[in-house]
Amino acid sequence: LETALSYAEIKALATGNPYIKEKMDLDTQVAKLKLIKSSFMSQKYELEDRVIKYYPRQIKEHKERIKGYDKDMETLSQYPKIEDKFYPMTIDGLGYYTKEKAGKALIERCKAMTTPDEIVIGDYRGFSMLLSFDKFSSEYNLTLKNSLSYKIALGSDVYGNIQRIDNALEGMKPKQDVCKQNLTELEKQFETAKVECKKEFPQEAELTEKSARL
């Protein structure tokens, strides 16, 4: 905006010319409306981009994840949780038939790791087990993999690690429920965004009128 008044404008103000005051008021109002419209259009373009890319991608990923949980829970149903029953765990081709032996073998396998890279070490309850070492946290991580992957940080407790693994597998249903809730919310947001991004600047008529007057 031009902030300096011309000699003619100062003279007009001194002589009480009403058009000068109106022009100055309109300058301010039009500038403010243009600023509001610029912000509105920026948000509109961002929303349009989310409608075209973000929401369809997120909805697709959530649906695929929900299907993945279904498949993994179907696999797990073949190894139902039974009190005091331990399903054999295979590590490097050897079967371990008690929690204690499996837990000890898992810890020994961690100690034998010579690379931080993720490697397949065996399977348990229908899921492949992949072991990796995180240099930054100095932590061994076990990933259970089928349709989806479930990552567990391993500790030094023989029984604790087996419990963590079982908890990760048994925790699929609650995670799927959260995923379904998120999908429902995404679909609602998607529909709202499609309507919102079609709206025009609500003060367009006022801006046009005042620009013309100016």
Side-chain angles (χ1 to χ4, degrees), residues 24-123:
M24 291 173 68
D25 288 342
L26 284 169
D27 274 333
T28 302
Q29 292 172 34
V30 168
K32 185 178 179 180
L33 284 168
K34 283 182 177 179
L35 198 63
I36 295 170
K37 182 178 180 179
S38 176
S39 176
F40 173 86
M41 295 306 294
S42 177
Q43 290 176 18
K44 181 176 178 176
Y45 294 143
E46 185 180 336
L47 202 58
E48 286 175 346
D49 190 59
R50 287 173 75 85
V51 165
I52 294 168
K53 300 175 185 176
Y54 175 78
Y55 285 116
R57 183 175 65 247
Q58 285 292 310
I59 287 170
K60 182 184 177 183
E61 286 177 4
H62 276 68
K63 286 181 176 178
E64 288 175 351
R65 191 159 188 81
I66 288 166
K67 287 180 181 176
Y69 279 124
D70 281 333
K71 290 177 182 176
D72 286 352
M73 283 189 285
E74 176 61 30
T75 298
L76 195 64
S77 69
Q78 299 170 39
Y79 305 86
K81 187 176 181 181
I82 301 171
E83 196 67 31
D84 296 327
K85 177 177 175 58
F86 177 71
Y87 291 100
M89 179 180 286
T90 302
I91 298 176
D92 291 336
L94 297 175
Y96 297 91
Y97 298 88
T98 67
K99 285 185 180 181
E100 183 181 7
K101 289 181 178 179
K104 285 181 177 178
L106 193 55
I107 289 173
E108 289 304 313
R109 187 62 186 81
C110 288
K111 292 176 181 177
M113 280 283 283
T114 56
T115 171
D117 299 332
E118 191 173 64
I119 53 173
V120 179
I121 63 165
D123 58 76

Side-chain angles (χ1 to χ4, degrees), residues 62-74 148 150 168 170-184:
H62 276 68
K63 286 181 176 178
E64 288 175 351
R65 191 159 188 81
I66 288 166
K67 287 180 181 176
Y69 279 124
D70 281 333
K71 290 177 182 176
D72 286 352
M73 283 189 285
E74 176 61 30
L148 301 177
Y150 310 87
E170 298 298 333
M172 281 184 226
K173 186 66 173 70
K175 286 183 179 178
Q176 188 191 50
D177 289 341
V178 171
C179 194
K180 286 179 178 178
Q181 290 170 9
N182 291 341
L183 174 60
T184 299

Side-chain angles (χ1 to χ4, degrees), residues 150 188 190 195:
Y150 310 87
K188 286 180 183 176
F190 186 34
V195 173

Side-chain angles (χ1 to χ4, degrees), residues 186-197:
L186 277 168
E187 288 173 336
K188 286 180 183 176
Q189 291 174 4
F190 186 34
E191 292 306 313
T192 301
K194 283 192 285 188
V195 173
E196 289 295 319
C197 72

